Amino acid sequence: VTADGRPIAGQVDGIFYRGSFYFGSSPDSVRFRHIARRPAVSATHLPGEELSVTVHGTAHPVDVASAEHAGFRAALLGVYVPRYGPGWETFVDSGPVYARIQADRMFTFHMDL
């Protein structure tokens, strides 16, 4: 949310890894500047009309270069290197920043189509 409490919504490229949603953006993005001050976030995964997963919680920064998050970095590489090529491995180390959403509440919806 903004400093005066208005919500901000926007798409992010997210990964569901070991029971948590992770997302990235530019370190200079409005999104991460707001999160640094007010880390409460909500996110919805909506791959199609038949499934929805919404999470409300707190965003925690993730250092993909640290040994603690080596598994997450490997998951990122497994998704994005095949999609964007081997140069993405260099990009992930110098470009985006990432956060993990520590869920307070999570809701799902499923409908057979």
Side-chain angles (χ1 to χ4, degrees):
V1 299
T2 62
D4 62 358
R6 290 176 291 126
I8 297 176
Q11 293 107 350
V12 294
D13 194 6
I15 302 259
F16 192 68
Y17 174 72
R18 295 200 173 182
S20 293
F21 283 107
Y22 291 73
F23 63 94
S25 190
S26 166
D28 301 324
S29 67
V30 170
R31 175 174 289 113
F32 270 88
R33 287 196 313 260
H34 282 275
I35 287 171
R37 292 180 188 93
R38 293 167 299 281
V41 297
S42 294
T44 298
H45 175 65
L46 190 65
E49 293 185 20
E50 71 281 355
L51 175 67
S52 172
V53 180
T54 299
V55 60
H56 304 286
T58 306
H60 296 275
V62 172
D63 179 2
V64 296
S66 74
E68 175 186 4
H69 299 292
F72 174 63
R73 183 179 186 279
L76 287 172
L77 296 177
V79 170
Y80 293 112
V81 169
R83 188 176 296 169
Y84 299 118
W88 199 87
E89 187 168 354
T90 303
F91 172 73
V92 74
D93 293 331
S94 62
V97 292
Y98 288 88
R100 175 184 57 82
I101 300 175
Q102 175 67 46
D104 294 324
R105 292 173 287 157
M106 188 178 288
F107 303 94
T108 62
F109 169 81
H110 178 266
M111 175 176 62
D112 290 326
L113 294 178

